[in-house]
C-alpha cells in the first residue's frame, strides 16, 4: 500500500520542553526530497498553511497536544 502525503511541508515548534526542534524535522524531510519552510510560531504556521491551500486541498496538523492546542483556534 502506498501513501502519498505531499511534497510541501511547513514545520514549527510548540511551546514544550519535549519538542523536536523544527530545524531537525526540516532536515529529515528535506533529506527525503520534500520542500520545507520553517515558521517558528505555530499559529502563524497554521495561517500560512491555510493561505497556501486551495479549495480542494487538505491541511494536516501532526504533533503533540501542545501543538494542536496552539493552532486549534485557527481552524475553527
Amino acid at each position: 500500500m502506498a501513501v502519498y502525503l505531499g511534497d510541501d511541508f511547513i514545520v514549527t515548534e510548540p511551546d514544550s520542553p519535549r519538542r523536536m526542534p523544527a530545524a531537525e524535522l526540516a532536515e529529515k524531510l528535506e533529506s527525503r526530497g520534500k520542500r520545507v519552510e520553517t515558521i517558528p510560531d505555530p499559529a502563524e504556521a497554521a495561517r500560512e498553511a491555510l493561505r497556501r491551500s486551495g479549495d480542494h486541498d487538505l491541511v494536516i496538523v501532526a504533533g503533540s497536544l501542545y501543538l494542536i492546542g496552539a493552532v486549534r483556534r485557527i481552524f475553527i
Side-chain angles (χ1 to χ4, degrees), residues 7-20:
D7 291 318
D8 295 314
F9 291 83
I10 298 172
V11 297
T12 191
E13 292 182 12
D15 184 19
S16 169
R18 295 178 43 195
R19 69 182 174 257
M20 174 186 283

Side-chain angles (χ1 to χ4, degrees), residues 52-73:
R52 291 182 188 185
S53 66
D55 290 340
H56 302 288
D57 290 331
L58 179 66
V59 174
I60 298 172
V61 178
S64 68
L65 292 177
Y66 292 103
L67 178 62
I68 301 303
V71 301
R72 182 174 178 262
R73 64 185 166 273

